[in-house]
Amino acid sequence: MGHHMTHVVVVGGGYAGVIAANRLTRRDDVTVTLINPRPTFVHRIRLHQVVGGTHDALVDFRKVLSDRVRLLVDSVARINPAERDVALTGGGSVGYDYLIYAVGSGGARPDVPGAAEHAHPAATLEEARALRSTLAEAPANAPVTVVGAGATGIEIAGELAEEGRDVTLVCGGVLAPALHERARRSLARRLAALGVTVLDGPGSRVTEVTGSAVRLDDGREQPSAVTVWTAGFGVPDLAARSGLRTDALGRLVTDETLTSVDDPRVLAAGDAAAPSDLPLRMSCQTATPLGAHAADTVLARLAGERPEPLDIGYFGQCVAVGSRTAVLQIAARDDTARPFHLGGRLTGKITGKIKATALDHLTHHLAAEARKPGSFTWRFKDGSRARLLHARRDEALTR
């Protein structure tokens, strides 16, 4: 057989990595190895439920991963683009023809005094589990403070308040900055209904965390037996460590086809990708299409075709408030929040169901792609990105 097999290594088995790995099985002459540190798939957008003790956020990899993908449970210590292989933490190495970098993100290391020692992160499965056991050891009426008012902070605060805990959400500015003010008001009402105290606006930035309190920049001291830190994102430093070009946060810089600007054999998808140094919002709504697109770029190259530039649009954001309600923010395709949202007193329950359906839907997408590679499509397209890049190019030329 003179048929050459192409071996693709996918680093990271989150939403982006799994859909990329599955999609690559469209071709019979492609073998795929997915390298992931855990033997089980983590449904990351359910981590707030791990904190609340209502879900384990785990899915058997075989339910979402094609049988044709080899799962290697290990971590990558270093990528060697010159040798086209990856060195494994467990020893040994794996060679590749193409590599898809989908290592995802975790929480950012807080630079606030005392936060690293006394605040609990919740961006990974292990962190969410550790936080759950810390909460289990704390008295039921102990004051709990959640720092960070993005979706994660809001969802954790909602889960814990529903459990009957005394929860304060410290925003460090506005509540849910990505949402429109109307949706924000809706969220504030839902949180109040659950008994969450929201500290927002000026003076709500945390300046220090101690074992028993949180200090704010207006001098207020908030008693806190358990402090949860959800502010900020951080990505693994694997790309930077491997000598590949990254942005200020450490995301791998690619062109619009998701190919590394340094190496045509390396692609990136998901939270750890920075296409054209103009990264998209870190979310599963971005990760899944990006993973599919990275696979499509590899498939196009193998077919001798020209890979397409990225085209991804958004429909909005759905933020759960407790287990029964949610606020659904409708967005313009370029991800700017529109005034329209669902999640008031009447529609909150409906959007709660929408959120629950969306959670299941995501793993269905992955499973469907495993069964029928190439089936995943994203309907939301957005031309504003191309316009932005053109404007930036023109500006660079006239400088």
Side-chain angles (χ1 to χ4, degrees):
M1 245 178 77
H3 208 51
H4 174 66
M5 292 300 277
T6 299
H7 184 220
V8 185
V9 166
V10 180
V11 187
Y15 304 118
V18 168
I19 204 142
N22 288 346
R23 202 169 180 92
L24 287 163
T25 65
R26 284 183 89 162
R27 286 181 68 111
D28 295 334
D29 58 354
V30 171
T31 57
V32 188
T33 301
L34 178 70
I35 305 175
N36 193 60
R38 301 182 193 88
T40 320
F41 178 79
V42 175
H43 203 344
R44 181 167 176 187
I45 54 175
R46 281 194 185 275
L47 286 182
H48 62 283
Q49 296 176 318
V50 173
V51 175
T54 56
H55 201 284
D56 67 1
L58 294 174
V59 179
D60 183 351
F61 257 121
R62 285 298 148 215
K63 283 193 178 135
V64 292
L65 196 60
S66 162
D67 296 335
R68 285 197 43 212
V69 175
R70 171 182 169 226
L71 175 66
L72 177 58
V73 180
D74 208 329
S75 295
V76 174
R78 195 186 158 86
I79 299 162
N80 305 308
E83 286 78 49
R84 284 223 288 263
D85 70 17
V86 298
L88 301 172
T89 315
S93 65
V94 179
Y96 63 81
D97 293 303
Y98 287 95
L99 178 134
I100 296 180
Y101 184 80
V103 295
S105 64
R109 255 193 85 76
D111 51 2
V112 172
E117 297 77 39
H118 303 292
H120 302 266
T124 66
L125 177 70
E126 289 74 16
E127 290 169 353
R129 280 179 175 164
L131 172 56
R132 179 75 201 146
S133 49
T134 300
L135 286 160
E137 285 157 21
N141 60 353
V144 177
T145 308
V146 179
V147 181
T152 312
I154 292 163
E155 293 186 337
I156 288 174
E159 280 278 326
L160 297 179
E162 201 169 72
E163 214 185 300
R165 295 191 181 266
D166 169 11
V167 182
T168 302
L169 181 63
V170 179
C171 301
V174 292
L175 173 72
L179 305 193
H180 189 274
E181 62 192 275
R182 282 192 202 164
R184 214 176 281 150
R185 282 200 293 271
S186 234
L187 262 178
R189 284 195 295 269
R190 310 270 16 111
L191 286 165
L194 279 177
V196 176
T197 306
V198 176
L199 305 181
D200 61 354
S204 67
R205 217 168 44 76
V206 175
T207 54
E208 193 190 347
V209 181
T210 69
S212 59
V214 166
R215 281 203 189 88
L216 304 182
D217 60 355
D218 63 0
R220 267 181 298 184
E221 191 163 307
Q222 174 73 29
S224 182
V226 181
T227 302
V228 186
W229 198 275
T230 71
F233 270 110
V235 297
D237 65 349
L238 175 61
R241 252 197 345 253
S242 304
L244 292 158
R245 198 164 339 158
T246 58
D247 71 357
L249 253 186
R251 291 175 286 209
L252 182 66
V253 177
T254 70
D255 63 12
E256 287 295 286
T257 70
L258 298 181
T259 307
S260 160
V261 291
D262 298 321
D263 188 323
R265 299 287 185 148
V266 174
L267 296 96
D271 287 355
S276 304
D277 215 348
L278 191 72
L280 297 128
R281 168 158 64 88
M282 291 183 164
S283 72
C284 55
Q285 221 185 116
T286 310
T288 321
L290 283 189
H293 194 94
D296 286 346
T297 296
V298 172
L299 294 167
R301 295 244 175 83
L302 295 177
E305 291 158 11
R306 203 173 142 194
E308 294 283 320
L310 198 56
D311 188 1
I312 169 176
Y314 292 84
F315 60 83
Q317 222 174 336
C318 198
V319 182
V321 191
S323 63
R324 287 182 291 279
T325 66
V327 173
L328 175 66
Q329 165 74 64
I330 309 298
R333 303 227 159 146
D334 66 358
D335 205 27
T336 49
R338 286 214 167 123
F340 184 69
H341 77 282
L342 288 169
R345 212 162 34 124
L346 295 168
T347 54
K349 283 200 173 53
I350 301 166
T351 46
K353 289 201 175 65
I354 292 174
K355 176 76 181 186
T357 311
L359 287 168
D360 291 336
H361 214 67
L362 218 95
T363 44
H364 286 316
H365 274 325
L366 301 179
E369 189 68 21
R371 284 192 304 273
K372 195 172 166 233
S375 61
F376 176 73
T377 56
W378 48 107
R379 288 185 296 282
F380 297 92
K381 303 279 166 121
D382 163 42
S384 66
R385 189 176 168 82
R387 288 194 294 278
L388 246 154
L389 290 166
H390 270 295
R392 204 202 301 181
R393 240 167 281 166
D394 294 345
E395 200 186 323
L397 290 171
T398 53
R399 241 185 251 141

